[in-house]
Amino acid sequence: MSRLFRVAIDGPAASGKSTTAKLLAKKLGFGYIDSGAMYRAVTLKCLEQGVEVTNKEQVEQVARDARIRFPSLGSVELDGEDVSQAIRTSRIVQNISPVAANTGVRSTLADQQRSLARANDPAWAGFTHHQQHIKGVVMDGRDIGTVILPDAELKVFIVADARVRAQRRFDELKSKNALGEGETVDAIARDLNARDEADRTRAVSPLKKADDAVELDTSDKSIEGQVEAIEQMLYARL
């Protein structure tokens, strides 16, 4: 007998949730859905098509037309093209807030995310626990536990010190040669603070901890420590 176990991981930008979610999924043999990458992909498509990200109707249409897939762990396809690196630049960060706050975009992508979480893809190998085969999916974002998967078997809300998050994002961009000209940790911190404020105060699906989510402060945790902590939470719920 096999059961589907869903893990919802939420938190602010650069809190480590995506890397943690991806590694957790790999370790458990679960599927991984990066909901934030979907908003990044829509933002990229807008910029490539010359669509103003503040033009609500046009951005909604871009989202409806976008074909977003996760063909393998950590990879993102937009309209058949690998955009895994292209969606991780500062240009996307600086333009994503109006896209993420767009109610039509959120509705379109929410439907896609729920459908992906129900897919029970044969590629999700899972693992065996007490003679029961456990398959599942890990999804991270900002409203997964509150809106997308409110009945998820495990919800985790990741937090981290703002300066730590800015340094993490700086290091990530530097390692990928994606830093903008003159971009500093301070500049990234300002961008992250602006994104946090926009996420917390938007009218639809604001960033907030679900009532039944477990809060995990990752300021002093390694990625491996974060994965281990959530893995133990999962086993405790089986």
Side-chain angles (χ1 to χ4, degrees), residues 34-45 48 68-70 74-78 81-93 96 169 172-173 176 178:
D34 181 353
S35 73
M38 299 176 78
Y39 290 96
R40 287 172 174 269
V42 173
T43 303
L44 176 65
K45 190 175 176 75
E48 289 181 338
I68 304 168
R69 296 179 59 248
F70 300 95
S75 66
V76 186
E77 272 189 6
L78 172 62
E81 179 183 353
D82 188 324
V83 294
S84 306
Q85 299 303 319
I87 62 172
R88 302 291 174 187
T89 65
S90 297
R91 182 173 173 233
I92 301 299
V93 174
I96 196 173
R169 179 56 54 83
E172 176 190 16
L173 293 172
K176 297 176 179 177

Side-chain angles (χ1 to χ4, degrees), residues 61-238:
Q61 187 60 53
V62 169
R64 286 193 291 270
D65 293 341
R67 293 180 292 112
I68 304 168
R69 296 179 59 248
F70 300 95
S72 60
L73 191 68
S75 66
V76 186
E77 272 189 6
L78 172 62
D79 299 332
E81 179 183 353
D82 188 324
V83 294
S84 306
Q85 299 303 319
I87 62 172
R88 302 291 174 187
T89 65
S90 297
R91 182 173 173 233
I92 301 299
V93 174
Q94 291 160 3
N95 286 278
I96 196 173
S97 286
V99 176
N102 187 310
T103 54
V105 172
R106 297 202 72 84
S107 177
T108 295
L109 295 187
D111 288 342
Q112 292 183 27
Q113 289 156 13
R114 293 188 187 103
S115 178
L116 288 168
R118 290 193 301 267
N120 199 359
D121 194 307
W124 301 349
F127 63 95
T128 300
H129 179 74
H130 292 168
Q131 299 184 318
Q132 185 176 31
H133 191 64
I134 312 296
K135 295 180 70 174
V137 61
V138 182
M139 187 184 300
D140 73 281
R142 287 168 175 74
D143 63 350
I144 308 304
T146 54
V147 176
I148 307 302
L149 300 176
D151 55 347
E153 284 70 22
L154 173 61
K155 303 177 190 177
V156 181
F157 191 83
I158 291 182
V159 297
D161 177 79
R163 187 71 182 183
V164 170
R165 292 193 289 129
Q167 186 66 55
R168 285 175 179 168
R169 179 56 54 83
F170 178 88
D171 292 342
E172 176 190 16
L173 293 172
K174 185 177 180 180
S175 70
K176 297 176 179 177
N177 294 317
L179 280 173
E181 185 176 352
E183 193 162 25
T184 64
V185 174
D186 287 338
I188 291 173
R190 288 192 294 272
D191 284 345
L192 290 177
N193 285 334
R195 179 75 193 276
D196 288 349
E197 181 65 16
D199 287 339
R200 283 194 301 262
T201 59
R202 65 177 175 236
V204 179
S205 303
L207 170 67
K208 66 177 182 179
K209 175 178 172 286
D211 292 339
D212 55 347
V214 180
E215 184 170 301
L216 178 65
D217 190 331
T218 68
S219 300
D220 299 317
K221 285 186 179 295
S222 65
I223 291 296
E224 293 76 13
Q226 296 173 41
V227 172
E228 175 68 20
I230 299 175
E231 185 181 14
Q232 292 308 310
M233 295 177 198
L234 184 152
Y235 279 115
R237 285 160 174 76
L238 293 178

Side-chain angles (χ1 to χ4, degrees), residues 24-35:
L24 178 69
K26 182 178 182 180
K27 189 172 184 180
L28 298 173
F30 281 12
Y32 169 57
I33 301 168
D34 181 353
S35 73

